[in-house]
Amino acid sequence: MTDLQQRPSDDRQATALPPDLTVRELGRWTWRQLTSMRTALVLLLLLALAAIPGSVIPQEDIDSLAVSQWRDDHPRLAPIWDRLDLFSVYGSVWFSAIYLLLMVSLVGCIIPRLLVYARALRARPPRAPRHLSRLPESASYTTGDAPEAVLGRAADVLRGRRFRVEPDDGAVAAERGYLREAGNLVFHLAVIVVLVGVAAGSLFGYKGGVIMLNGEDYGFSNNLTQYDDFAPGALFDPDVMEPFSFSITDFQVDWLTEGQRAGMAREFVAELAYETEPGGGTKSYDLKVNHPLTIGGTDVFLIGHGYAPVITVRDGEGEVTKSGPVVFLPTNAQTFESFGVVKAPFARPEQIGLEGTFYPTFAMGEDAEGNLSMPGSIWGDALDPLISMSVWTGDLGVDDGSASSVYVLDKAGATQVTEADGRPFRLDLRPGETAKLPDGLGTVTFDGLERWNKIQISRSPGKLVALAGVVLALLGLLGSLFVRPRRMWVRARRQDDGTTLVEVARLDRSSGGDPEDGAAELAAVVAALQGADDDTTTSNEKEQP
């Protein structure tokens, strides 16, 4: 158990609120409540509970696209989640309050204990009890040596076993195991170091994401204008951003071909060509999940991939109003069925908007009776790609100058294109195919297929501090678990028959120790004290049950 779980006797505990307190007394009482170990435990538990929404609900600073999709799927819950800052848990006021209170509580717990520990280091081992034979582990024997010689030998033996020795009146007191409390203190200090490291990364660092198309024609430079989403710390300075750039030259996917997860990507690798500074030499790196590229203090992560159909839209006058790859976002992690939007705001006579689904390996599903039902994709690889989209015309909401998402089609001022019989018109295209739009609106061509990768770029200046804190916490925890504080006493006194009675006792101050180890240590000390006089001694050892 850590020291957070076993409260030492010198720790201050929370107390009930006395009646009729003055302002000063109320402040002192509040401080004692905040800096008690009970409060630290509660705050630590609250911090763990508060982090749960951050791992369940998509976060703005990690994946803004997932947040946008979540808002679209849960229109009623999204405003409530926004008011509670659940899309940005780790930057919320309530999470920061728990974080800071835990810091204050730990500091308030540790400082008094450091003073207590400093006094304990200077303290003398306690005097020998009057009746050593009543202790759980004790032994006695007689010898012809003088008491002074026995006590001198006892002091040497105990010092050799790394005990702190203090001569007493007719006895020797010894104690060891002070590092156990040091381990507890190191553990608590390490928790503060971890919190400081995480706070430094949140304040001075940044995290951003960008969706990049594959190919040397598409590149990224590390400046603010290149990011799709960017979450800086409160004290972030843009001057610390390394001036690197990179492009994705190739992308390889290893697909699972059998088992329940057949069709999913087992591994994917993006081959980067990057420069650490403008005009520097170009280097290559195979970017994989959990294998980031580190440039200075910045890490580049590969966190996702998908398809970008190349679509060309010609308006009613035959002019190309939209041409190029369009990012479609996966809605199914196994089959990579993806949703996307195409906007052609300059089309004439009316603006054209397309919305629909991309199927990497198209297939029609069957119902229980064997009839064809809903379309779908049966494989994540693009073995038989097909794009199916509905068509909208009119005002797409892009002329008023307000910000709009490229992944959302504003239909408030638009009208859906229909067939002659009134059914919604749909485009079903495979690569190389072209479809004409009704009423002379133009044509849509599915030219081909490209790939995209989601890249996350982050800088956390406090991560080494946090790592050092974790290592210190582990060392402190090991010390608190395996260092066993214990005391030993040796008393020697002359008897009426001229012999010397030697009493040795041992007291283990930690719980969970092996009684056989204690008995063995006691026996070893007794044997060292007896020396060569084994034929003149008697033993009266009592082992702890």
Side-chain angles (χ1 to χ4, degrees), residues 365-374:
E366 294 183 354
D367 57 20
E369 299 178 356
N371 300 318
L372 294 178
S373 58
M374 296 296 293

Side-chain angles (χ1 to χ4, degrees), residues 192-256:
I192 296 179
V193 172
V194 172
L195 294 176
V196 170
V198 173
S202 300
L203 291 174
F204 298 98
Y206 67 88
K207 184 181 296 182
V210 59
I211 289 182
M212 290 191 59
L213 294 168
N214 298 349
E216 297 181 356
D217 296 335
Y218 308 102
F220 173 86
S221 298
N222 190 33
N223 59 70
L224 297 177
T225 61
Q226 295 283 296
Y227 286 90
D228 294 332
D229 54 86
F230 190 81
L235 302 178
F236 166 72
D237 182 4
D239 293 337
V240 303
M241 300 178 70
E242 282 87 1
F244 62 83
S245 60
F246 62 86
S247 61
I248 302 175
T249 58
D250 195 13
F251 182 70
Q252 302 292 332
V253 184
D254 183 12
W255 300 96
L256 293 170

